Amino acid sequence: MQRYSVFSLVSNALRGNQHWERAWRDPDPKEEYDVVIVGGGGHGLATAYYLAKEHGINKVAVLEKGYLGGGNAGRNTTIVRSNYMIDGNTQFYEHSLKLWHGLSQDLNYNVMFSPRGYVALATSQAQMDASAFRANSMRMNGIDAELLTREQVQKLLPYLDCSPNARFPVYGGLWQGRAGTARHDAVNWGFARAADSRGVDIIQQCEVLGYLWDGGRIVGVETTRGNIRAKKVALAVAGSTTLLGQKAGLELPIESHLLQAFVTEPIKPMIDYVIAYGTAHFYISQSDKGGLVLGGDLDGYNSYAQRGNLPIVDEVLTVAKALIPALSRLRVLRHWAGVMDMSMDGSPIICKAPVDGLYLNCGWCYGGFKATPASGFAFAHTIAKDEPYETNARFTLDRFRRGYQIDEKGAGPTPGAH
């Protein structure tokens, strides 16, 4: 694999940029692999990368029914943070944030990680108390967290409506300085290129139709490009998890919902940080190109379609205007919807499935993008060792049967409310 560097940039620029190697191969599927990963999003590609890098397992195929970046990996608001509170989530997302900070160097690919800081606004005294509780939990786990007063928020974010007549009065906020954003499609491409360089086959336009069975064990998959045998089959398909689970005889505690995001026309630098507004479950940041990236709550019905509805458009943009009145005349360029697999407690599932030969990575709710590197790392360990990594030991499927749920309310899981 051609290594990216200042020298390679200059060398290729002087030759008219005609000699760049393709970022990853386009192989035909082989008859058999050690591991087949279903889903070519960030989690699937990261899993393949860490399988090869950390465990020396490179006879791996990643199957994507469309093209890389066409699913949820390209349908989010790119936010990266680790301000979680519940034991299990706290350690997992902090591991992910640490991986984010070195990811571009690790992959030799610029994922455009921008640790610009994250402010979660509190709009009541009760939310300030909850923010203090969360900040204390974070600091006890070695995670940076700082409570901001109303005056500090006003100084940091002068464009917010902090007036006495504000629709949602600002009481203060919770600040995490190492949080930020990353370029979502660059993350996909970086993991794809790095995995390919270690021998992983990335096979696009290859939809999984069913499984190959040997007795009660899954030993491969049926695809639109033929049957592929594998010692282990791993699902990392986000919104389609329930459909592929059913094909294996599993009824998973997951609902699929749509989560919409929006981007405005580009403007000069205005919003330096990521801002979250828990009262209305709203969040906003500014991209490197100048567009404001914003999002809100789930659509109010189950769906597998990648398109949203007008009531959410109205709700999100109304909140944006109430929060930052200066945006009132700004035009929205486009919006999109990702399919979220919502677990019933808001926390993910990374484990061996009850079906022999099958492994699950699902139930990410609102936390999928920020979890990408730690998810791949932990899932690769689980597949390679047949036991969880320390950070995903609690993310079992049978916690729902045993009643040991990881109910992270701050993550916004409300599938049952719909």
Side-chain angles (χ1 to χ4, degrees):
M1 178 182 71
Q2 185 180 30
R3 184 167 180 79
Y4 295 155
S5 64
V6 172
F7 175 78
S8 68
L9 283 172
V10 173
S11 174
N12 280 281
L14 293 175
R15 292 184 295 168
N17 287 311
Q18 299 297 311
H19 301 282
W20 286 107
E21 296 178 4
R22 64 180 302 157
W24 57 84
R25 299 166 295 124
D26 184 26
D28 292 324
K30 299 181 177 70
E31 292 184 357
E32 185 172 1
Y33 292 90
D34 289 337
V35 179
V36 163
I37 298 169
V38 185
H43 290 219
L45 293 167
T47 302
Y49 171 66
Y50 288 118
L51 272 172
K53 179 190 176 190
E54 301 293 331
H55 305 284
I57 301 174
N58 50 22
K59 194 176 178 183
V60 176
V62 178
L63 310 183
E64 169 56 45
K65 73 175 181 179
Y67 59 90
L68 298 192
N72 280 358
R75 296 172 178 273
N76 57 71
T77 48
T78 76
I79 297 171
V80 173
R81 58 183 171 85
S82 68
N83 57 348
Y84 283 73
M85 184 172 66
I86 300 297
D87 195 27
N89 278 338
T90 306
Q91 299 88 342
F92 178 84
Y93 284 100
E94 177 59 13
H95 180 220
S96 199
L97 187 55
K98 289 177 178 176
L99 290 174
W100 277 112
H101 275 261
L103 195 60
S104 292
Q105 291 75 20
D106 185 26
L107 300 180
N108 182 229
Y109 195 94
N110 185 7
V111 302
M112 300 176 73
F113 175 57
S114 171
R116 62 186 68 177
Y118 179 100
V119 183
L121 297 175
T123 56
S124 67
Q125 187 55 52
Q127 284 193 355
M128 279 300 292
D129 294 343
S131 296
F133 186 28
R134 181 176 295 268
N136 288 335
S137 298
M138 291 168 63
R139 286 194 287 258
M140 288 174 65
N141 283 281
I143 303 169
D144 61 312
E146 182 181 349
L147 271 185
L148 303 178
T149 64
R150 180 178 181 277
E151 290 70 28
Q152 288 173 312
V153 169
Q154 199 166 12
K155 183 177 180 181
L156 193 67
L157 313 171
Y159 38 78
L160 292 186
D161 184 2
C162 294
S163 69
N165 298 322
R167 172 67 180 85
F168 301 104
V170 175
Y171 277 64
L174 175 60
W175 163 260
Q176 186 179 29
R178 293 182 302 129
T181 62
R183 174 81 186 185
H184 45 190
D185 41 15
V187 174
N188 242 34
W189 298 335
F191 272 118
R193 177 173 174 274
D196 176 87
S197 72
R198 292 178 179 272
V200 172
D201 284 354
I202 299 169
I203 303 168
Q204 301 177 73
Q205 307 297 333
C206 182
E207 182 176 2
V208 171
L209 305 173
Y211 300 99
L212 304 176
W213 296 84
D214 183 0
R217 178 181 174 81
I218 288 178
V219 293
V221 290
E222 301 171 341
T223 80
T224 51
R225 298 181 65 174
N227 293 344
I228 303 173
R229 297 185 66 83
K231 296 173 183 174
K232 299 179 178 180
V233 174
L235 301 185
V237 293
S240 298
T241 300
T242 49
L243 298 176
L244 284 176
Q246 288 171 356
K247 293 179 183 294
L250 295 174
E251 293 294 337
L252 298 170
I254 287 173
E255 291 181 358
S256 289
H257 287 268
L258 303 179
L259 186 64
Q260 297 186 59
F262 309 81
V263 64
T264 71
E265 60 184 321
I267 58 175
K268 291 182 178 179
M270 174 184 175
I271 298 180
D272 297 331
Y273 312 101
V274 180
I275 305 170
Y277 192 48
T279 299
H281 198 207
F282 172 82
Y283 35 94
I284 187 169
S285 64
Q286 187 163 16
S287 74
D288 294 332
K289 292 192 293 185
L292 302 185
V293 183
L294 52 152
D297 212 339
L298 295 172
D299 286 5
Y301 51 86
N302 295 2
S303 176
Y304 296 106
Q306 292 179 321
R307 57 182 180 273
N309 60 25
L310 289 177
I312 294 296
V313 176
D314 179 66
E315 179 182 317
V316 171
L317 300 184
T318 299
V319 174
K321 182 181 174 183
L323 181 66
I324 308 174
L327 306 185
S328 61
R329 298 182 66 84
L330 201 60
R331 289 172 293 188
V332 173
L333 288 187
R334 62 184 185 276
H335 82 284
W336 58 88
V339 185
M340 315 291 290
D341 52 338
M342 306 292 292
S343 68
M344 295 300 105
D345 64 357
S347 296
I349 300 166
I350 309 177
C351 65
K352 292 181 66 176
V355 178
D356 199 16
L358 187 67
Y359 298 76
L360 298 174
N361 180 325
C362 55
W364 287 100
C365 303
Y366 296 89
F369 180 72
K370 66 183 70 66
T372 300
S375 164
F377 193 96
F379 199 30
H381 182 99
T382 303
I383 296 168
K385 304 289 187 182
D386 277 326
E387 62 184 23
Y389 186 64
E390 58 188 78
T391 56
N392 68 307
R394 291 172 177 259
F395 297 156
T396 61
L397 176 60
D398 74 345
R399 71 176 187 267
F400 298 98
R401 177 182 59 80
R402 295 183 293 112
Y404 287 90
Q405 299 190 33
I406 310 171
D407 198 357
E408 181 76 48
K409 290 296 185 185
T414 54
H418 300 301

